[in-house]
């Protein structure tokens, strides 16, 4: 009788043997055909692939003044497979002016794959970065004593002037997140961290090159592999020309010394940012080289937040500068007639026990003098009638959203899209916002303060400056941008196309008249002394403490060259700080210099500091 149990065992043993053979075949195929692990190991022994770093693009201002350039530096690289156990570490530490503990820590960090995911003992790893010429020369004399250690020539950024830190940004070593996000980078590479250095990183960084060097069995370099046939030369980064005027930027930072706030100036016809001041600021040269980490830590711990770019991140009530948007909206929607004196102002808006105060002036007024005198009552009445116009809109919600759409078309409520990282959107409320806040029971009186740039409305200084540029252009703007030109590459179309608002051309003409009247005899009367036809609007934004001083304007009235916004925290009336600072900025740009009297005025404001106490902001 046939033994079926033996047959079964035979099949099992045969199956196992077949499986083992198949596994070996698959593994051999993987090692020899699919995997390049052994090839990499062999290549690493035979070749030394030396990366050549490109020169980073330089940055100039609109007039060709050099703002950012490169200077030589040196990195110490190590190939762990070549670093011998009998290495004289004390001699190496002395040559690099580091301690034995520092040496051990650096070597362990290199081998830690959680911190250095691209680690390989056959490839160069960064041991120490950004040595100066003097440090390099000391190390070079003894380098032959340290097998496995090499010098990689690099360049580091240098900033020509102690200003424009928030615009220019800085460069630092890549983080693990940077490496994971873009395979171009490897540990030890540098990347733009803030400002233009960050937003134009891909244009500025260029393309790496590579030398393939041939080594003998002892690891000694014998020369270039096939005379450099497979070498790849680095491609330098592209140069950038900014719209920033270096001298105007310097003046702006000088005027904001001892103050918290911002100045933003824009060329209306192009949207190019002429200056962007955020105060307090810092010297960008602090953020160069190995001192960057320490400097960044000190700045980040500063209670006055000098790292914060208030021009695009500060979200403030725009105050009475916002009344221009209300006049544009109410006139276009037919709520007001520009020449009719329809609304009273008995030292403010008064209705059913609600009072919004205003300074004394003639009343009632039409639109132009209402802007000139900055009448609160006029614009509060305008909003009240618009939100309450059910015969026109059907509901307060529809009226509110129509109002919101006008504000958004003028550049408020959303990010404008400037070519700098970190821009904030501000706040323009809509009907849903108030329905949630008041459970659907609200009207024009409930939200009356938004008519004068208070309440829930918030804007960045950039948005306020852009409002000035839009009025200067009589109804359109180009998205503000700090880069004027990229070498060999066109600007993004976002920075070349006009964006039109919902307001009519006629309404802009009246608002321009109102701003000009403000400069000749209204709240901006200090502008009357200039020989160019300046237009302006003050703002005094209410605050828990002392009010903020705000100004928005442009010049000349026809064919405008500059629009400017000034925001000084706790500066009081708009005419106290905003108007005089704005006037000096306009004069400097239009004439290229300040008059003798204006220079004295600039020194006065430079030395006029505001006491903010010790409270963290």
């Amino acid at each position: 009788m046939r033994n079926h149990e033996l047959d079964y065992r035979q099949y099992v043993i045969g199956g196992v043997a077949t499986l083992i053979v198949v596994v070996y075949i698959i593994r051999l195929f993987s090692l020899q055909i699919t995997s390049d692990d052994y090839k990499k190991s062999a290549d690493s022994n035979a070749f030394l692939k030396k990366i050549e770093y490109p020169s980073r693009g330089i940055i100039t201002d609109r007039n060709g003044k050099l703002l950012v350039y490169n200077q030589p530096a040196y990195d110490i690289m190590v190939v762990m497979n070549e670093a011998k156990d009998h290495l004289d570490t004390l001699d190496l530490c002395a040559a690099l002016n580091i301690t034995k503990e520092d040496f051990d820590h650096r070597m362990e960090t290199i081998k830690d794959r959680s911190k250095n995911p691209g680690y390989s003992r056959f490839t160069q790893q960064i041991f120490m970065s950004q040595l100066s010429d003097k440090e390099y020369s000391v190390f070079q004399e003894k380098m032959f004593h340290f097998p496995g250690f090499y010098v990689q020539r690099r360049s580091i950024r240098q900033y020509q002037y102690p200003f424009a830190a928030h615009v220019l940004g800085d460069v630092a070593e890549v983080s693990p997140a940077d490496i994971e996000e873009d395979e171009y980078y490897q540990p030890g590479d540098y990347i733009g961290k803030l400002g233009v250095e960050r937003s134009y990183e891909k244009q500025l960084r260029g393309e790496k090159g590579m030398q393939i060097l041939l080594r003998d069995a002892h690891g000694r370099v014998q020369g270039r592999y096939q005379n450099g046939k497979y070498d790849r030369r680095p491609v330098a980064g592209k140069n950038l020309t900014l719209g920033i005027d270096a001298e105007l930027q310097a003046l702006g930072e000088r005027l904001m010394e001892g103050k918290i706030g911002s100045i933003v100036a824009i060329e209306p016809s192009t949207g190019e940012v002429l200056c962007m001041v955020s105060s307090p600021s810092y010297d960008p040269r602090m953020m160069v080289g190995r001192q960057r980490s320490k400097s960044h830590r000190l700045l980040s711990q500063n209670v006055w937040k000098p790292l914060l770019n208030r021009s695009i991140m500060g979200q403030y009530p725009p105050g009475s500068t916002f009344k221009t948007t209300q006049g544009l909206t109410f006139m276009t929607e037919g709520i007001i007639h520009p020449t009719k004196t329809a609304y009273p102002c008995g030292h403010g808006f008064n209705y059913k026990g609600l009072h919004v105060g205003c300074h004394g002036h003639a009343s009632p007024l039409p639109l132009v003098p209402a802007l000139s005198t900055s009448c609160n009552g006029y614009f509060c009445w305008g909003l009240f009638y618009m939100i309450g116009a059910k015969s026109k809109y059907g509901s307060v919600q529809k009226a509110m959203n129509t109002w919101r759409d006008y504000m958004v078309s003028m550049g408020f409520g959303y990010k404008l899209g400037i070519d700098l990282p970190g821009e904030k959107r501000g706040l323009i409320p809509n009907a849903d916002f108030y329905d949630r806040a008041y459970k659907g029971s609200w009207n024009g009186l409930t939200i009356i303060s938004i008519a004068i740039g208070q309440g829930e409305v918030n804007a960045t200084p950039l948005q306020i400056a852009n409002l000035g540029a839009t009025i200067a252009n009589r109804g359109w703007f180009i998205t503000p941008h700090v880069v004027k030109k990229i070498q060999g590459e066109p600007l993004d179309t976002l920075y070349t196309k006009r964006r039109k608002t919902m307001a009519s051309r006629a309404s802009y003409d009246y608002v321009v008249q109102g701003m000009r009247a403000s400069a000749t005899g209204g709240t901006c009367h200090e502008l009357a002394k200039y020989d160019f036809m300046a237009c302006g609007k003050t703002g005094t934004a209410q605050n828990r403490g002392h009010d903020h001083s705000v100004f928005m304007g442009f010049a000349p009235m026809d064919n405008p060259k500059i629009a400017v916004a000034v925001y000084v925290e706790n500066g009081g009336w708009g005419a106290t700080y905003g108007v005089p600072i704005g006037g000096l900025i306009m004069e400097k740009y239009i004439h290229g210099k300040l008059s003798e009297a204006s220079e004295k005025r600039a020194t006065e404001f430079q030395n006029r500091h505001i006491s903010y106490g010790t409270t963290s902001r």
Side-chain angles (χ1 to χ4, degrees):
M1 180 180 247
R2 187 180 179 93
N3 191 334
H4 293 290
E5 186 176 345
L6 290 175
D7 289 344
Y8 176 73
R9 289 178 180 175
Q10 178 183 346
Y11 291 139
V12 170
I13 294 171
V16 171
T18 303
L19 180 62
I20 292 172
V21 171
V22 170
V23 169
Y24 270 102
I25 291 172
I26 292 173
R27 181 57 179 159
L28 286 170
F29 179 83
S30 173
L31 289 174
Q32 296 182 22
I33 307 299
T34 306
S35 174
D36 60 354
D37 288 349
Y38 285 96
K39 182 178 183 301
K40 284 182 177 178
S41 179
D43 285 350
S44 297
N45 288 323
F47 303 118
L48 174 63
K49 294 180 178 179
K50 185 178 181 182
I51 292 175
E52 291 188 302
Y53 289 93
S55 175
R56 195 170 175 87
I58 64 171
I59 303 175
T60 60
D61 86 335
R62 67 186 299 108
N63 300 311
K65 282 192 173 182
L66 187 63
L67 299 177
V68 186
Y69 59 96
N70 303 304
Q71 65 179 20
Y74 304 88
D75 291 347
I76 305 300
M77 313 297 292
V78 60
V79 178
M80 302 296 274
N81 194 51
E82 299 175 16
K84 305 302 181 183
D85 293 335
H86 57 269
L87 175 72
D88 188 343
T89 55
L90 293 180
D91 193 19
L92 176 67
C93 291
L96 292 174
N97 195 27
I98 61 175
T99 64
K100 176 63 165 57
E101 291 74 18
D102 192 16
F103 171 86
D104 293 337
H105 175 72
R106 289 171 185 270
M107 295 296 274
E108 289 303 316
T109 300
I110 289 171
K111 292 184 284 187
D112 185 346
R113 292 184 184 275
S114 65
K115 298 178 181 178
N116 185 13
Y119 170 70
S120 168
R121 63 192 180 93
F122 297 108
T123 61
Q124 289 190 358
Q125 307 291 316
I126 189 162
F127 176 79
M128 190 171 180
S129 63
Q130 299 184 3
L131 273 69
S132 67
D133 286 336
K134 183 177 180 180
E135 291 171 322
Y136 163 66
S137 62
V138 171
F139 178 76
Q140 187 185 34
E141 291 179 2
K142 294 188 173 185
M143 192 169 64
F144 68 95
H145 288 305
F146 313 128
F149 284 83
Y150 300 88
V151 172
Q152 173 72 64
R153 192 178 189 279
R154 300 287 291 268
S155 62
I156 60 173
R157 295 304 246 181
Q158 185 60 53
Y159 300 90
Q160 183 77 356
Y161 302 105
F163 52 73
H166 294 100
V167 174
L168 299 174
D170 67 289
V171 173
E173 194 169 325
V174 292
S175 66
D178 294 325
I179 297 170
E180 185 176 345
E181 184 177 330
D182 191 336
E183 62 182 11
Y184 173 88
Y185 300 105
Q186 62 184 33
D189 284 356
Y190 304 139
I191 190 173
K193 290 292 185 180
L194 296 169
V196 168
E197 296 275 24
R198 182 69 179 187
S199 50
Y200 287 88
E201 164 66 15
K202 289 187 177 179
Q203 289 86 354
L204 287 167
R205 73 188 185 189
E207 298 178 17
K208 296 174 187 172
M210 182 179 290
Q211 283 186 22
I212 304 176
L213 304 176
L214 189 64
R215 298 193 287 198
D216 62 18
H218 300 287
R220 294 172 297 201
V221 174
Q222 300 300 301
R224 292 191 174 187
Y225 176 61
Q226 293 194 12
N227 294 320
K229 179 180 178 180
Y230 297 102
D231 290 356
R232 185 174 68 250
R233 294 186 61 81
V235 178
K238 295 178 179 178
N239 299 332
L240 300 182
T241 301
L242 305 189
I244 297 291
D245 182 307
E247 292 186 4
L248 192 68
Q249 181 76 25
L251 173 63
E253 299 207 11
R254 176 184 163 199
L255 294 171
M256 289 298 291
E257 285 184 18
K259 308 166 190 68
I260 295 175
S262 170
I263 302 172
V264 179
I266 297 173
E267 183 177 60
S269 61
T270 64
E272 293 166 9
V273 174
L274 301 172
C275 78
M276 179 177 283
V277 177
S278 178
S279 181
S281 186
Y282 58 94
D283 187 337
R285 295 173 295 189
M286 294 172 60
M287 308 293 274
V288 172
R290 297 202 300 273
Q291 66 176 338
R292 182 190 182 276
S293 295
K294 180 180 178 181
S295 297
H296 189 274
R297 184 172 62 255
L298 291 173
L299 290 170
S300 64
Q301 293 171 350
N302 189 312
V303 296
W304 305 112
K305 301 179 181 178
L307 289 173
L308 179 69
N309 185 352
R310 289 172 168 82
S311 299
I312 61 174
M313 297 176 179
Q315 300 176 93
Y316 303 101
S320 293
T321 61
F322 203 61
K323 290 173 183 173
T324 56
T325 67
Q326 306 308 288
L328 293 164
T329 302
F330 302 154
M331 182 175 168
T332 304
E333 284 293 292
I335 303 300
I336 62 173
H337 189 284
T339 61
K340 288 184 178 179
T341 56
Y343 305 137
C345 181
H347 285 277
F349 173 83
N350 299 282
Y351 187 76
K352 292 187 176 181
L354 177 64
H355 175 70
V356 179
C358 188
H359 56 279
H361 57 75
S363 174
L365 296 171
L367 177 59
V368 169
L371 284 168
S372 171
T373 60
S374 197
C375 173
N376 283 344
Y378 183 93
F379 296 99
C380 287
W381 280 112
L383 182 75
F384 175 74
Y385 282 117
M386 179 174 178
I387 299 301
K390 290 188 178 180
S391 61
K392 181 178 179 65
Y393 300 108
S395 67
V396 293
Q397 285 80 7
K398 179 67 184 300
M400 183 68 215
N401 285 341
T402 301
W403 178 90
R404 183 275 318 272
D405 291 344
Y406 271 88
M407 301 305 106
V408 171
S409 79
M410 295 177 198
F412 294 96
Y414 292 91
K415 296 177 183 179
L416 280 167
I418 191 170
D419 51 346
L420 289 175
E423 181 188 6
K424 301 299 183 183
R425 61 182 290 176
L427 175 63
I428 295 294
N430 58 15
D432 288 342
F433 179 94
Y434 288 122
D435 282 342
R436 290 193 301 270
Y438 298 105
K439 296 181 171 36
S441 179
W442 56 277
N443 56 35
L445 293 177
T446 317
I447 62 171
I448 202 68
S449 59
I450 66 174
I452 56 174
Q454 298 286 166
E456 294 72 33
V457 171
N458 273 329
T460 64
L462 175 68
Q463 290 171 332
I464 299 172
N466 188 64
L467 172 63
T470 306
I471 298 171
N473 291 331
R474 276 61 166 182
W476 60 269
F477 66 92
I478 295 175
T479 301
H481 50 286
V482 297
V483 170
K484 178 184 178 73
K485 185 169 65 176
I486 307 170
Q487 180 186 15
E489 182 180 321
L491 287 179
D492 190 305
T493 54
L494 177 65
Y495 306 125
T496 59
K497 289 185 177 180
R498 293 185 178 187
R499 296 165 61 178
K500 294 184 178 180
T501 76
M502 293 172 61
S504 67
R505 169 59 192 255
S507 67
Y508 277 101
D509 289 337
Y510 277 102
V511 167
V512 169
Q513 291 179 39
M515 292 177 68
R516 178 59 185 158
S518 178
T520 56
T523 57
C524 297
H525 59 85
E526 185 170 331
L527 298 179
K529 66 183 181 183
Y530 293 107
D531 60 358
F532 47 84
M533 295 179 68
C535 300
K537 182 71 194 76
T538 54
T540 305
Q542 294 178 5
N543 180 45
R544 293 195 190 102
H546 205 41
D547 293 342
H548 302 319
S549 178
V550 196
F551 168 76
M552 178 270 293
F554 62 91
M557 177 177 172
D558 299 312
N559 192 25
K561 304 295 183 186
I562 182 173
V564 62
V566 180
Y567 210 106
V568 179
E569 293 188 25
N570 304 142
W573 296 105
T576 304
Y577 283 96
V579 175
I581 290 175
L584 291 168
I585 292 292
M586 290 178 179
E587 179 186 2
K588 171 64 177 176
Y589 186 69
I590 290 174
H591 291 321
K593 62 179 181 179
L594 296 178
S595 67
E596 185 177 343
S598 292
E599 182 58 44
K600 291 180 180 178
R601 187 78 161 138
T603 301
E604 174 192 340
F605 274 90
Q606 178 182 359
N607 297 327
R608 189 189 292 183
H609 294 186
I610 298 175
S611 176
Y612 292 97
T614 58
T615 304
S616 175
R617 304 193 67 80

